[in-house]
Amino acid sequence: EALLQLLMACPRHLNLMDLKRSVSEVPGVVSLHDLHVWQIGRSRSCSAHLVIRDVNESVQLLRACTAIAKSEHGLDEVTFQIEIEGNFDTENDRLRLSSNTCHDTR
């Protein structure tokens, strides 16, 4: 467990596919990419780029997606970077999972 934390690996019992799916299903969210999850001590952290349709909904969507990440997936610190649809190539949005990394690649 300590080695995984030193490697900044994904927490063992966190399902990244479920996290990505649940955040992406929020109405107004187009997709999620560059997802990174790690744990230091007891604190689980996440950062990702959140592609949305309407810039006017950005605050509401940030709150909704952050609440989901914290309450449904047990994350303590969540940072989403907003991108507006059309400024991101959704054709290249791919998630790479392995036993010791939690990075989504394009």
Side-chain angles (χ1 to χ4, degrees), residues 1 3 6 16 23-24 28 30 32 37 47 52-56 59-60 68 82-84 88 90 95 98 100 105:
E1 194 70 29
L3 180 59
L6 287 172
L16 275 186
V23 171
S24 296
V30 176
L32 186 75
V37 179
S47 68
I52 66 171
R53 289 193 178 90
D54 184 356
V55 69
N56 296 316
V59 173
Q60 175 187 354
I68 287 170
I82 293 288
E83 294 180 4
I84 308 306
F88 171 68
T90 56
L95 182 65
S98 72
N100 62 359
T105 60

Side-chain angles (χ1 to χ4, degrees), residues 33-34 49 83 88-89 92-94 104-106:
H33 67 97
D34 289 335
H49 294 232
E83 294 180 4
F88 171 68
D89 181 8
N92 292 317
D93 186 15
R94 294 189 192 101
D104 113 39
T105 60
R106 290 187 272 165

Side-chain angles (χ1 to χ4, degrees), residues 14-15 18-19 21-22 44 68-75:
L14 183 77
N15 186 322
D18 284 347
L19 171 60
R21 179 195 43 75
S22 62
R44 294 179 174 187
I68 287 170
K70 288 182 172 188
S71 66
E72 294 181 18
H73 300 281
L75 295 167

Side-chain angles (χ1 to χ4, degrees), residues 1-12 38-42 100:
E1 194 70 29
L3 180 59
L4 289 175
Q5 288 186 26
L6 287 172
L7 294 172
M8 296 186 77
C10 184
R12 286 184 187 205
W38 64 96
Q39 181 170 338
I40 298 175
R42 294 180 188 233
N100 62 359

